[in-house]
Amino acid sequence: MSTEPVSPDERDPANWSAEALARIQRVIERSRKTAGHAVRDTFARPEREMTAAEFVAFWNGTRMKAMATVGNTRAPHIAPVHAEFINGRLRSTIFETAVRRRDLRDNPEVALTTWGPNGAAAIVYGRAHEVADSLRDTRTGASGGPRRTVALDIEVTRIYAMKGRES
């Protein structure tokens, strides 16, 4: 997700600093306290709450996420993306020509979600910023033409997450 190769150790919360996990834990706890009724009613189940380490392991263990943006036209845009936490930071990439990239220039607010077995789910809100000098070539698209992506660093502002139901 960044311009440099990332090792599996950097993705694994067991290898992060205590402070990196504590920052995520604080966001999770603040999000629980300030959530609206519908979100609390869905996610505030003590037996299904995730710790920061559990959340990161779940998030990074799901391959695809959906990322939504809204630009100056106020029209929402959503697409599947790869996004993962690396050493406490949420990183993703976006195609150079994507409408969501234009959206982010006008409004950096993003929402991402992913889900897993038995009702496990997570929603992350934040502000996305392009990583300087991260434009790079990537695989070709359906047209066969070249494509490029830029890396995004997402400042996480809210996290809602819950484990799946026990079988």
Side-chain angles (χ1 to χ4, degrees):
M1 301 301 131
S2 69
T3 58
E4 300 298 321
V6 177
S7 74
D9 286 349
E10 293 174 293
R11 291 180 177 99
D12 183 351
N15 297 317
W16 293 4
S17 70
E19 179 52 33
L21 280 175
R23 276 193 311 270
I24 291 173
Q25 188 65 46
R26 285 191 297 272
V27 172
I28 290 170
E29 290 170 6
R30 185 182 67 243
S31 300
R32 283 183 195 143
K33 290 177 185 171
T34 60
H37 176 74
V39 171
R40 277 194 321 271
D41 212 30
T42 300
F43 285 88
R45 299 172 185 273
E47 71 280 5
R48 294 178 65 187
E49 289 179 357
M50 290 185 189
T51 64
E54 290 169 329
F55 161 73
V56 171
F58 168 72
W59 184 269
N60 285 355
T62 60
R63 181 161 165 73
M64 298 300 292
K65 286 76 176 180
M67 180 169 73
T69 60
V70 175
N72 65 2
T73 65
R74 298 186 56 181
H77 298 103
I78 190 166
V81 297
H82 298 283
E84 60 189 349
F85 282 87
I86 301 168
N87 284 330
R89 303 292 303 177
L90 182 56
R91 290 292 182 98
S92 187
T93 57
I94 194 166
F95 288 110
E96 175 183 36
T97 58
V99 69
R100 288 172 298 113
R101 184 176 186 213
R102 288 191 306 272
D103 287 351
L104 293 173
R105 289 183 186 134
D106 295 322
N107 179 358
E109 302 293 326
V110 296
L112 298 100
T113 188
T114 195
W115 49 94
N118 301 321
I123 302 170
V124 173
Y125 293 90
R127 285 183 283 286
H129 306 281
E130 287 189 16
V131 175
D133 301 319
S134 66
L135 188 63
R136 66 176 177 82
D137 293 333
T138 191
R139 66 189 182 287
T140 60
S143 68
R147 295 193 301 178
R148 300 188 318 166
T149 60
V150 294
L152 298 176
D153 181 66
I154 301 168
E155 176 191 350
V156 175
T157 57
R158 287 183 283 161
I159 298 171
Y160 304 110
M162 66 181 175
K163 300 176 190 176
R165 292 177 297 284
E166 296 291 323
S167 302

